[in-house]
Amino acid sequence: MIFGRFIRKLSRQAQDKLGESNTIVEETLQGIANVKAFVNEAYEANRYNKILRNVVDIAVKGAKFRGIFASFIVFFLFGTFVGVIWYGSVLVHNHELDFGELTKFIFYSIFAGAAMGSFPDLYANLQKAVGASERVLEILAEKGEDISMIENNNQVDQPIKGDLTFDNVVFAYPSRPELTILKGISFDAAAGQKVAIVGPSGSGKSTMASLILQFYHPQNGSILFDGRTADEYSITDIRNQVAIVPQDVLLFGGSILENIAYGRLNASKEDIIQAAKRANAHQFITSFPEGYETIVGERGVKLSGGQRQRIAIARALLKNPSILILDEATSSLDSESERLVQEALEELMKDRTSIIIAHRLSTIREADKIIVLEKGEIIESGNHAELIGNEQGLYRYLSQLQFETQAG
Ligand SMILES: Nc1ncnc2c1ncn2[C@@H]1O[C@H](COP(=O)(O)OP(=O)(O)OP(=O)(O)O)[C@@H](O)[C@H]1O
Ligand SMILES: [Mg+2]
């Protein structure tokens, strides 16, 4: 039993190390441009080599112990036979047992002994398999979200008008529970309003977006839609009525048409083209020889940052959500693409609640409310005129900084 437990631990370790080594290969190949740009091929090869060594070392260690254990079992097994034969011979010699009976006994004990002797090895093998599959079992035991994989998952049962409230929301990521990211955030956005969130990098803006989308749940406080807490709605109802244009847009391998249709799978081609037009994307799409059938993503044409954003905007337009989250890209676009994206966003924000996470303050002058976030706390809020009037305020300071860099 003790040996079995030991083998199980080793087996799990070997599996983990093997996983790590696979991650290195995966990351290196995915980021091959970075590896090459920094001339780090040797470093990566070394890293992989080292971790593979580790895997082999653990495997060899396991094999060694199993060898020792097997010899131990065999030694005792045959030791017992020798003992039986010796004692039997003594009995035969003293005429307390005849030779036939001794032979019979020896055969029986060989069969029984050999069978028993194979148990420890079987047990060790079993434990090895358990060790290797423990992680998989852990994942299988993980409780999933309450989303049934049915076709009409995109149907909305409880419509949301668009009022959004954060009520004293406290949040820490489950992977880092000791680090509180949001420390009691409260604000309201009435249906149709534009609320902007600004603040330094790492202050928790994208985290708020994840909370609205129910990717995580606050430890304290609540998020309300139309005055009712999020758990009164099904997750699919919320997500079907909230759209996000994320900070970094991911396009799936497939045509541009399919990528826009991701916003509403049953949309007609006319709807998709209409959405692309409103997102200022139609022009660049039709300039490609294959137009909407152009394959993008990993294996296809790489689109520029501004183009990807406009695809994401078209996707969100097609979804036609009540609440829209814009997580503005940090990388700045040239003025022309910026104008095109900005126009597309204006179109997208019409008639719905918009939460705009902004890096360029020039884009949020018109917002109904601006919330200034710092280290997970709201330190200022109000409209542009109010905030700019606050001599000591962070907003005024940030605006001035941006104005200076633009002017200079
Ligand atoms: N999945 C995660 N697990 C653990 N911590 C995270 C996770 N995502 C973000 N964080 C941490 O939460 C904090 C806030 O991150 P967040 O992405 O919300 O910042 P942000 O305000 O959007 O910044 P930026 O302006 O650079 O986009 C950071 O300290 C970050 O390290
Ligand atoms: Mg962010």
Side-chain angles (χ1 to χ4, degrees):
M1 298 280 268
I2 292 170
F3 180 72
R5 241 175 264 150
F6 176 72
I7 286 290
R8 175 170 165 177
K9 213 177 78 195
L10 279 186
S11 169
R12 182 180 176 144
Q13 269 174 14
Q15 211 64 26
D16 285 353
K17 286 278 176 220
L18 200 63
E20 270 176 58
S21 70
N22 285 341
T23 310
I24 294 181
V25 177
E26 220 177 281
E27 284 177 355
T28 309
L29 291 181
Q30 257 169 21
I32 192 70
N34 277 302
V35 177
K36 289 203 169 287
F38 286 94
V39 202
N40 277 346
E41 288 96 334
Y43 168 77
E44 294 293 350
N46 232 331
R47 211 153 67 104
Y48 185 54
N49 196 11
K50 221 158 96 203
I51 198 137
L52 266 194
R53 274 272 128 237
N54 265 332
V55 177
V56 172
D57 284 349
I58 294 174
V60 168
K61 190 173 162 196
K64 262 190 199 151
F65 277 94
R66 285 184 56 175
I68 293 172
F69 185 65
S71 4
F72 168 81
I73 296 288
V74 168
F75 180 75
F76 269 84
L77 198 66
F78 283 96
T80 323
F81 292 150
V82 170
V84 166
I85 293 172
W86 172 77
Y87 187 61
S89 316
V90 173
L91 290 181
V92 171
H93 184 76
N94 294 344
H95 299 291
E96 290 172 47
L97 193 74
D98 69 36
F99 190 70
E101 269 174 319
L102 174 65
T103 319
K104 217 158 65 184
F105 185 75
I106 287 175
F107 269 110
Y108 286 158
S109 51
I110 286 179
F111 288 139
M116 299 291 275
S118 63
F119 270 126
D121 204 41
L122 265 181
Y123 183 70
N125 267 333
L126 203 68
Q127 290 298 321
K128 188 177 160 199
V130 171
S133 48
E134 239 164 24
R135 290 264 190 247
V136 180
L137 293 177
E138 272 170 25
I139 293 174
L140 287 179
E142 192 73 27
K143 204 174 152 288
E145 276 183 331
D146 185 22
I147 289 175
S148 45
M149 299 284 190
I150 42 174
E151 279 297 312
N152 63 357
N153 235 353
N154 292 28
Q155 226 152 43
V156 172
D157 294 328
Q158 291 168 288
I160 294 173
K161 194 161 63 62
D163 292 336
L164 176 72
T165 307
F166 267 57
D167 181 20
N168 197 24
V169 169
V170 177
F171 175 72
Y173 280 98
S175 56
R176 279 150 85 194
E178 70 290 345
L179 189 73
T180 310
I181 306 286
L182 300 180
K183 302 165 186 156
I185 300 287
S186 300
F187 75 89
D188 287 299
Q193 271 191 333
K194 291 189 183 68
V195 174
I197 304 172
V198 300
S201 184
S203 52
K205 305 181 297 292
S206 299
T207 305
M208 286 173 67
S210 304
L211 286 175
I212 298 174
L213 280 164
Q214 308 293 308
F215 292 158
Y216 300 95
H217 302 284
Q219 271 87 35
N220 232 318
S222 46
I223 296 170
L224 299 98
F225 298 91
D226 291 352
R228 293 163 62 201
T229 55
D231 43 295
E232 288 176 54
Y233 296 89
S234 70
I235 279 189
T236 47
D237 270 357
I238 294 176
R239 290 190 191 151
N240 274 323
Q241 299 176 81
V242 177
I244 183 165
V245 178
Q247 214 163 4
D248 39 9
V249 179
L250 177 85
L251 296 182
F252 294 99
S255 66
I256 291 182
L257 195 78
E258 285 166 342
N259 266 289
I260 298 178
Y262 208 75
R264 179 153 53 86
L265 294 176
N266 57 8
S268 67
K269 186 160 181 183
E270 286 69 51
D271 290 344
I272 294 172
I273 293 175
Q274 187 58 32
K277 279 184 179 153
R278 286 171 65 197
N280 267 342
H282 183 71
Q283 213 164 14
F284 83 79
I285 296 172
T286 44
S287 75
F288 296 140
E290 275 113 63
Y292 281 85
E293 299 305 328
T294 309
I295 301 294
V296 290
E298 277 286 298
R299 287 162 213 282
V301 182
K302 291 265 190 295
L303 296 184
S304 76
Q307 291 172 335
R308 274 203 310 256
Q309 269 176 8
R310 278 176 280 161
I311 300 268
I313 292 169
R315 214 185 246 173
L317 271 170
L318 202 58
K319 189 169 175 183
N320 194 19
S322 327
I323 298 175
L324 174 74
I325 306 167
L326 299 173
D327 203 342
E328 207 177 66
T330 9
S331 57
S332 45
L333 305 168
D334 63 272
S335 331
E336 176 59 11
S337 331
E338 162 114 33
R339 187 184 61 79
L340 289 173
V341 170
Q342 198 53 42
E343 274 175 18
L345 288 177
E346 294 298 336
E347 178 70 23
L348 181 56
M349 288 187 291
K350 258 185 220 156
D351 308 319
R352 53 187 121 234
T353 314
S354 309
I355 307 293
I356 311 153
I357 298 171
H359 296 277
R360 284 176 294 269
L361 303 186
S362 55
T363 60
I364 52 162
R365 295 252 157 97
E366 311 300 317
D368 295 296
K369 193 189 282 178
I370 298 169
I371 289 168
V372 185
L373 203 65
E374 194 182 30
K375 298 195 182 108
E377 279 171 299
I378 295 180
I379 53 168
E380 282 178 282
S381 73
N383 62 28
H384 175 75
E386 287 162 12
L387 290 178
I388 209 79
N390 181 359
E391 299 269 340
Q392 259 78 50
L394 180 64
Y395 182 81
R396 185 188 165 104
Y397 173 72
L398 293 175
S399 303
Q400 275 173 348
L401 270 188
Q402 289 200 354
F403 182 69
E404 276 164 27
T405 37
Q406 269 162 18

